[in-house]
Amino acid sequence: MFVDMPGNKSVNRTRLDWDTRVKISLGAALGIDYLHDCGFTHGNIKSCNILLTNNYNSCVSDYGLAQLVSTTSAANRVIGYRAPEVTNVRRVTPKADVYSFGVLLLELLTGKAPSQASTSDEGIDLPRWVQSVVREEWKAEVFDPELTKYQSDVKEEMDELLQIALQCVAPSPDQRPTMKQVVKLIRDVQKNDNGSGDISKGANA
């Protein structure tokens, strides 16, 4: 099944608790890091390309397909996730993958899809919206109400994952961490969450 993002408001969608969101984040990060270790970039990281097992272990799908379609079609596939420096979607760097993963993290944290943020009253994309809210010190408004209403005990971990996401969507590629660093940072968040376990063996690319 696909990642059922909190921004999906359908009646039958699966509600994701905090532990599950962290598990999905780490599994996806491990899959992307595996690709980077093998010398590849993905080029089309987005929520519908993260597939889940019944136990919510993440599998990164759609690798390599962006190179098989026209430039226009490929561009349309990554709107909302594309790093600002990417002008040719067929030539994506690992740091551009990191940016797209950061947008994915923001989806999990905010309950908003990139398209929702870009068509909202703010008229800006999801990373810029989050950055503006954090800058104005309204951080509580960033997080998905489902998390803040029912799981206030994980506020510290939520803040930590938000900081990781903001590092990933830094405007300059040089300011972004590598996926290996991202994996370590998310694992540190998971260690602070007593309800989580190690899922490193459950992630695939």
Side-chain angles (χ1 to χ4, degrees):
M1 58 181 171
F2 298 107
V3 171
D4 197 356
M5 282 297 182
N8 173 10
K9 302 302 182 183
S10 64
V11 175
N12 295 323
R13 76 177 181 85
T14 303
R15 296 185 182 276
L16 301 177
D17 62 17
W18 173 250
D19 291 349
T20 302
R21 297 185 201 210
V22 175
K23 186 174 186 176
I24 292 170
S25 301
L26 179 55
L30 285 162
I32 301 166
D33 180 47
Y34 176 80
L35 287 175
H36 290 183
D37 275 350
C38 293
F40 303 113
T41 55
H42 188 284
N44 195 22
I45 298 297
K46 56 184 179 180
S47 58
C48 65
N49 285 338
I50 307 301
L51 307 183
L52 305 177
T53 68
N54 290 335
N55 293 324
Y56 291 99
N57 291 323
S58 303
C59 302
V60 181
S61 71
D62 203 35
Y63 164 69
L65 296 184
Q67 286 74 24
L68 301 178
V69 297
S70 69
T71 302
T72 301
S73 297
N76 290 336
R77 289 151 62 87
V78 294
I79 289 175
Y81 297 85
R82 191 192 315 166
E85 74 276 8
V86 174
T87 57
N88 185 339
V89 294
R90 296 185 180 184
R91 296 184 179 180
V92 178
T93 66
K95 286 299 183 72
D97 276 352
V98 172
Y99 182 94
S100 299
F101 178 77
V103 177
L104 179 70
L105 284 183
L106 291 178
E107 283 188 85
L108 285 165
L109 287 166
T110 66
K112 294 180 180 290
S115 58
Q116 289 178 308
S118 62
T119 57
S120 66
D121 292 338
E122 291 84 3
I124 56 178
D125 60 22
L126 183 56
R128 287 175 57 200
W129 176 78
V130 171
Q131 290 162 350
S132 67
V133 173
V134 171
R135 187 167 53 248
E136 296 296 330
E137 298 183 354
W138 300 333
K139 191 182 296 184
E141 296 186 15
V142 167
F143 297 112
D144 183 357
E146 287 188 7
L147 288 175
T148 55
K149 183 176 181 179
Y150 299 109
Q151 296 194 256
S152 58
D153 57 321
V154 293
K155 184 178 182 304
E156 182 177 345
E157 288 82 1
M158 290 163 56
D159 287 342
E160 291 172 354
L161 196 61
L162 175 62
Q163 291 307 313
I164 296 169
L166 291 176
Q167 290 179 52
C168 290
V169 297
S172 170
D174 293 338
Q175 296 175 315
R176 299 170 203 152
T178 64
M179 282 309 304
K180 195 167 296 297
Q181 291 170 324
V182 172
V183 167
K184 182 182 183 303
L185 290 169
I186 297 177
R187 276 182 167 150
D188 289 342
V189 172
Q190 193 181 55
K191 288 176 184 177
N192 292 334
D193 185 355
N194 295 330
S196 297
D198 185 1
I199 62 153
S200 60
K201 296 182 180 180
N204 299 286

